[in-house]
Amino acid sequence: VVAPVIAIDGPSASGKGTVAARVAAALGWDYLDSGALYRLTALAAQKAGVAWDDEAGVAALAASLDVSFAEGEVCLAGEDVGDAIRSEDISGGASAVAALPAVREALLFRQRAFRVAPGLVADGRDMGSVVFPDARVKVFLTASAEVRAERRYKQLIEKGFSASLDKILQELRTRDERDSQRAVAPLQQNVDAQLLETSNLTIEQAVAQVLAWQQACG
Ligand code: C5P
């Protein structure tokens, strides 16, 4: 029997990561932040001096990434890089390497390896369409660009970083556009995904909705 999967896809800063992690915790399931794998790939390339548009070079790195996720820490070759992979620079790099088919292919098997009993909650762009097409619950979680920019802005300010709301909004729009227009696994709501528009929802309400859909699947 294969473990059940809840796939949560959506644009950057939609809050899908927070919602996915809480749903996983509520169910006692594992959680996969697939975006972190693209971010780690971009960081590994930068560290190795491999250009983000060198498809074969980046794919080779992606296939052999030495990563570990434990207790909320993200490690690359044993080093905690949780903050480093969230920088704007690496966000752009992740979006760039994610547009390369060979990189997506290399990360496909690594993502599927996270599917273990009793279940997995996975968030990203193509969880329901490509990586786990047989997921029992598929959600497209989104919010307006303005709301997402505001959420990202607050997050940065709370962490003590300085930030510009305008700049964040602009970068979000650029990244959305690149993620939705690329040839492979573009960001889009699948026909079989439930839409969860969170502009006017709290995190708790969004989590409760996903759990209700999961329960409805028996
Ligand atoms: O979700 P997050 O913003 O961390 O993802 C970083 C980048 O990785 C995105 O801009 C997107 O291009 C890419 N990505 C992807 N497929 C996924 C997850 C992330 O292409 N499943």
Side-chain angles (χ1 to χ4, degrees):
V1 197
V2 285
V5 174
I6 296 177
I8 304 185
D9 291 304
S12 328
S14 55
K16 63 189 188 308
T18 306
V19 171
R22 292 208 195 174
V23 169
L27 295 169
W29 293 9
D30 276 322
Y31 164 55
L32 167 64
D33 170 3
S34 65
L37 290 174
Y38 289 93
R39 290 170 180 277
L40 285 160
T41 300
L43 180 65
Q46 191 180 62
K47 282 181 186 278
V50 173
W52 287 331
D53 61 358
D54 172 356
E55 183 162 6
V58 178
L61 281 172
S64 62
L65 275 185
D66 172 14
V67 299
S68 68
F69 299 92
E71 284 139 40
E73 265 188 19
V74 184
C75 292
L76 182 63
E79 182 194 348
D80 181 0
V81 293
D83 285 335
I85 60 166
R86 302 285 151 203
S87 72
E88 279 307 321
D89 185 29
I90 295 299
S91 297
S95 175
V97 301
L100 308 172
V103 172
R104 305 199 71 86
E105 184 68 27
L107 290 179
L108 188 58
F109 302 98
R110 308 197 60 136
Q111 295 174 83
R112 289 191 177 146
F114 283 86
R115 181 178 200 163
V116 290
L120 178 70
V121 183
D123 87 58
R125 302 294 187 289
D126 60 346
M127 296 299 98
S129 54
V130 177
V131 183
F132 304 110
D134 62 337
R136 70 153 68 169
V137 178
K138 298 183 185 184
V139 180
F140 188 77
L141 193 157
T142 189
S144 71
E146 289 76 12
V147 168
R148 288 185 286 125
E150 225 158 272
R151 287 178 184 166
R152 172 65 47 90
Y153 175 77
K154 275 191 197 148
Q155 210 176 42
L156 288 170
I157 297 297
E158 272 164 22
K159 283 191 181 166
F161 293 110
S162 68
S164 142
L165 186 56
D166 274 355
K167 195 160 163 250
I168 291 173
L169 181 57
Q170 234 175 54
E171 279 163 354
L172 267 184
R173 289 199 162 122
T174 307
R175 202 136 63 90
D176 279 0
E177 200 170 291
R178 175 156 47 179
D179 289 350
S180 358
Q181 319 245 303
R182 69 184 177 209
V184 282
L187 169 70
Q188 57 182 42
Q189 183 187 348
N190 265 330
V191 283
D192 59 352
Q194 316 244 34
L195 177 65
L196 187 51
E197 218 293 330
T198 67
S199 296
N200 298 307
L201 295 185
T202 62
I203 292 167
E204 290 73 21
Q205 287 171 324
V207 170
Q209 178 58 258
V210 177
L211 288 172
W213 282 329
Q214 148 67 15
Q215 256 154 21
C217 287

